[in-house]
Amino acid sequence: MTGPTPPPAGPGTDRRAATSTALTGAQLWARARGLLLALGILLAAALALAGLQAGDHHGLLDPRSADRDGSRALAQLLKERGVTTRVVTNADEAAAAAGPRTTLLVTAPDLLGEPQRRAIRSAIDLSGGRTVLIAPTGLSLPDLAPAAHAKSSTDSDDLDPGCALPAATTAGRAGTGDGLRYTTALPAATACYPSDGDPTVLVLPGTTKGGDTVLLGSERILLNQHLAEQGNASLALQLLGSRPHLVWYLPTLADMPPDGPADDKSLLELVPAGWLWALLQLAVAAVLAALWRARRLGPLVTENLPVAIRASETTEGRARLYRKASARDRAATVLRAAARERLAPLVGVPPARAHDPEALVPAVSARLPHAAGPDPATTLFGATPADDAALVALTDHLDALEREVRTS
């Protein structure tokens, strides 16, 4: 079938696109690879920095940590005095390491489950050494030190010894007052550093000769950030360095009961500070890189297509699309509209009324000879062809009608 007639254009006219904004994959990669490389380098550097910083972060009261809340300074001082420090993370290992020449330090007794408390209690009763419990409350005291009871905390920081314990009298004033206080009915117990009449450091005699249990109401004297204040270092060294071996027990999640204390910290609070700073630096770098590489908004740049397409090829292509879609109605409408627009100026009809049958049909009929032929009204404004043959016949009639008007 013959394709529809395009808008007026001379044969061989080249049609070029006005603008071209599409980018190939190679062009996109060439533009983005620099930015991606920079982001990759920044990410690797941030991860390496965070990993290096995280190497010194072990948590509260950890003798390997140099953080403000760590205890590496105390561990170094103990090492200089010949005390060996061993870090353990489960109760069975801690109990097995306890002995008459050992000090067992339990940093978080309230986090222990019942089996773990039984293991530590067995070590207290049988080892003959010293056991130091940091801030135990009513959750753990009945199992670990049933003769003592915890009271509310105090607002004081530094307190005077107030007792005859050699470690306390040598250390003098120390920062034990920002934690818990204790009471006991044992006559042989030694109560030190009282606040409002109740001690913040309580030494209970053991059931085995030479052994004892120290209840320390605050961890303040063991922390790096407070070790150099008042007599904190002296008191900590004497409480933990009375034996040549120190077992530093840091409970883990495996030591906690299934219904243990809930951790109300958010996800961001659980992320180490080094990672947060690294992510912040990476985000700032990404924003700066985006601003650096971003293209300024402006008018489109006109570009000629590399290939010129002839008008005849465009017409044939559209015709094939019409035929494939069986769009005879659309093809007939385009053919008739183009014929009416060409005939209107030939018969003196204004272009605005070229598609008005009352104006165009009489003017075209007046230019035709009186010989019999297709009705101009049917040819220019008729019904949609029923098949392809009828569409081809309509094309022939339109060509004949235009030829007769031109030659009349």
Side-chain angles (χ1 to χ4, degrees):
M1 96 179 177
T2 303
T5 304
T13 301
D14 292 344
R15 300 183 178 274
R16 301 174 184 270
T19 60
S20 176
T21 59
L23 297 176
T24 64
Q27 291 173 325
L28 288 174
W29 168 247
R31 293 185 178 186
R33 62 185 178 184
L35 177 60
L36 294 177
L37 179 60
L39 290 177
I41 294 175
L42 288 173
L43 179 59
L47 293 176
L49 178 62
L52 291 175
Q53 292 181 348
D56 292 334
H57 293 258
H58 296 279
L60 178 66
L61 291 173
D62 195 312
R64 300 163 297 184
S65 175
D67 291 347
R68 292 168 56 85
D69 293 334
S71 299
R72 191 162 75 177
L74 176 58
Q76 291 295 327
L77 292 177
L78 288 169
K79 181 178 179 181
E80 294 175 0
R81 285 157 177 76
V83 178
T84 62
T85 301
R86 175 185 175 186
V87 178
V88 298
T89 56
N90 65 79
D92 292 336
E93 187 178 1
R101 294 170 53 83
T102 301
T103 299
L104 173 60
L105 173 64
V106 183
T107 58
D110 285 351
L111 297 182
L112 302 181
E114 185 177 353
Q116 288 74 23
R117 292 197 297 268
R118 286 200 303 266
I120 298 300
R121 180 61 191 180
S122 176
I124 293 174
D125 291 338
L126 302 177
S127 67
R130 166 168 287 181
T131 302
V132 179
L133 305 178
I134 304 297
T137 68
L139 293 175
S140 57
L141 281 176
D143 292 329
L144 301 179
H149 304 278
K151 299 189 67 175
S152 61
S153 59
T154 177
D155 296 332
S156 304
D157 289 333
D158 299 327
L159 300 173
D160 294 320
C163 68
L165 184 69
T169 56
T170 302
R173 192 173 178 84
T176 63
D178 63 343
L180 298 174
R181 298 175 297 162
Y182 299 97
T183 61
T184 183
L186 289 178
T190 303
C192 297
Y193 294 96
S195 175
D196 296 332
D198 295 312
T200 57
V201 177
L202 183 62
V203 182
L204 303 174
T207 57
T208 303
K209 183 179 180 180
D212 60 12
T213 300
V214 179
L215 306 184
L216 188 58
S218 171
E219 74 278 1
R220 183 185 180 91
I221 66 172
L222 308 182
L223 302 180
N224 294 329
Q225 60 179 320
H226 299 297
L227 190 63
E229 299 173 359
Q230 299 290 338
N232 293 352
S234 176
L235 180 61
L237 288 173
Q238 294 183 79
L239 291 179
L240 300 184
S242 61
R243 274 75 171 172
H245 304 291
L246 171 62
V247 178
W248 202 298
Y249 176 28
L250 297 171
T252 61
L253 290 176
D255 295 326
M256 301 180 187
D259 56 346
D263 192 351
D264 295 331
K265 292 184 178 180
S266 64
L267 178 61
L268 292 179
E269 292 175 335
L270 295 175
V271 177
W275 286 88
L276 292 178
W277 280 110
L279 292 176
L280 178 60
Q281 295 174 12
L282 181 61
V284 172
V287 172
L288 293 177
L291 294 176
W292 168 53
R293 297 292 297 177
R295 299 182 61 186
R296 294 185 178 181
L297 299 178
L300 296 177
V301 179
T302 58
E303 297 179 6
N304 293 328
L305 291 177
V307 178
I309 302 175
R310 295 188 299 174
S312 59
E313 294 179 1
T314 303
T315 301
E316 291 176 1
R318 292 181 65 183
R320 292 191 187 97
L321 292 175
Y322 285 151
R323 183 175 185 180
K324 185 176 181 180
S326 299
R328 287 182 292 273
D329 54 344
R330 176 63 178 165
T333 300
V334 172
L335 290 170
R336 283 170 168 157
R340 291 194 296 266
E341 292 174 357
R342 291 192 297 270
L343 289 172
L346 296 178
V347 297
V349 175
R353 304 194 65 188
H355 304 291
D356 185 359
E358 295 181 356
L360 184 62
V361 172
V364 171
S365 299
R367 299 288 296 274
L368 296 177
H370 295 288
D375 182 14
T378 303
T379 302
L380 295 174
F381 297 97
T384 300
D387 51 28
D388 290 347
L391 181 61
V392 173
L394 173 62
T395 304
D396 294 339
H397 293 161
L398 290 172
D399 289 343
L401 179 61
E402 183 177 352
R403 187 168 53 253
E404 289 181 7
V405 170
R406 289 180 182 276
T407 59
S408 60

